[in-house]
Amino acid sequence: PGTSAYIPTDYVGDLHIPLVGGRGFAATVRLRTGQVAIVDGVLAGRDWPGEDPIGQHISLGQNNIPHITIVGLVKHARASSLEADSNEGFYYLPLSQSPSPMLQIVARTKGDPATLNSAIQNAVHAVDPNQAVYDFKSMEQRVDDSLVSRRFLVVLLSIFAGLALLLAALGLYGVISYGVRLRVRELGIRMALGAQRGDVLKLVIKGGIRLAVIGLGIGLVATFLAGQAISSMLYKTSVFNP
């Protein structure tokens, strides 16, 4: 029916995935108890549109596995990347009913996550001293790792944008300087008739600001028109964000 994930009892709460309806997995769920599942909003909306999915059943298409009863509904969460979403929908199965030789442990703490490394390792080794425990990372680190390629692209674009701004400033300076040279006689006459240096400076700066405002207006319009092309690179950020 969708993408499956085998999770422990407190997984949904630990990751703050909002529970919309029903309940989470009870601590009493075991291998020989009734098969249960939690589905997300995407899967529920696709398979039971306009209906309450709680109490419905799903089948994995295996004869030796009975139909699985849906006991909870959660909001859709991106499982592997913040950049894209397949919108395929998830159903979560209790790990206690589907034991696996390899596990990923999720732990929530109010302090530094790195302080839990030795505690988690000791707890696992207390059960099985030969079990390997590795790849300790905070959720922030995992999110950062998933965005490395996108971050590199953003840094590269920022460098090019900085160079473009520098070239624009140099071009504006060149235009103003050329305009001043063309008006040397005019400015000289103004000063001969009593104009102060500040008045002449204001006159030149006004011309430069006028050019900058016109260029800025054209640039902003072009940016908004091209916004659709770059919208796929902006996660939860509007094209009109400053």
Side-chain angles (χ1 to χ4, degrees), residues 8-203:
T9 304
D10 300 326
Y11 179 84
V12 171
D14 287 342
L15 289 188
H16 287 182
I17 301 176
L19 184 66
V20 179
R23 58 175 176 83
F25 294 137
T28 55
V29 173
R30 292 293 184 268
L31 189 60
R32 297 186 181 277
T33 58
Q35 301 283 317
V36 293
I38 296 174
V39 299
D40 69 359
V42 172
L43 186 66
R46 187 195 67 192
D47 291 352
W48 300 281
E51 300 181 39
D52 185 0
I54 307 301
Q56 303 282 1
H57 296 84
I58 59 177
S59 174
L60 300 182
Q62 301 177 19
N63 296 329
N64 58 337
I65 298 180
H67 286 186
I68 302 172
T69 303
I70 298 174
V71 297
L73 174 64
V74 296
K75 284 191 174 182
H76 181 67
R78 300 191 179 202
S80 58
S81 173
L82 297 179
E83 298 178 353
D85 191 4
S86 62
N87 285 322
E88 188 176 357
F90 269 84
Y91 64 96
Y92 301 94
L93 303 173
L95 188 62
S96 56
Q97 291 185 335
S98 304
S100 172
M102 295 187 64
L103 300 176
Q104 291 180 331
I105 299 174
V106 178
R108 177 170 290 277
T109 176
K110 294 182 179 179
D112 183 4
T115 60
L116 286 181
N117 293 359
S118 59
I120 294 174
Q121 198 162 18
N122 292 336
V124 173
H125 287 167
V127 179
D128 184 359
N130 298 319
Q131 186 66 45
V133 186
Y134 60 96
D135 196 21
F136 288 99
K137 285 184 180 178
S138 67
M139 182 58 70
E140 183 178 356
Q141 288 175 310
R142 295 195 179 278
V143 171
D144 287 343
D145 290 346
S146 72
L147 297 175
V148 166
S149 60
R150 190 66 69 188
R151 185 177 293 108
F152 172 75
L153 181 59
V154 171
V155 171
L156 194 62
L157 289 175
S158 300
I159 293 174
F160 283 129
L163 291 175
L165 183 61
L166 176 61
L167 291 175
L170 291 175
L172 183 60
Y173 170 80
V175 170
I176 294 175
S177 177
Y178 178 70
V180 170
R181 284 200 302 271
L182 292 179
R183 302 174 64 183
V184 167
R185 290 187 179 182
E186 174 197 342
L187 297 177
I189 293 173
R190 287 177 180 272
M191 296 186 70
L193 295 176
Q196 302 297 317
R197 289 176 61 88
D199 297 329
V200 174
L201 185 61
K202 287 180 182 178
L203 182 65

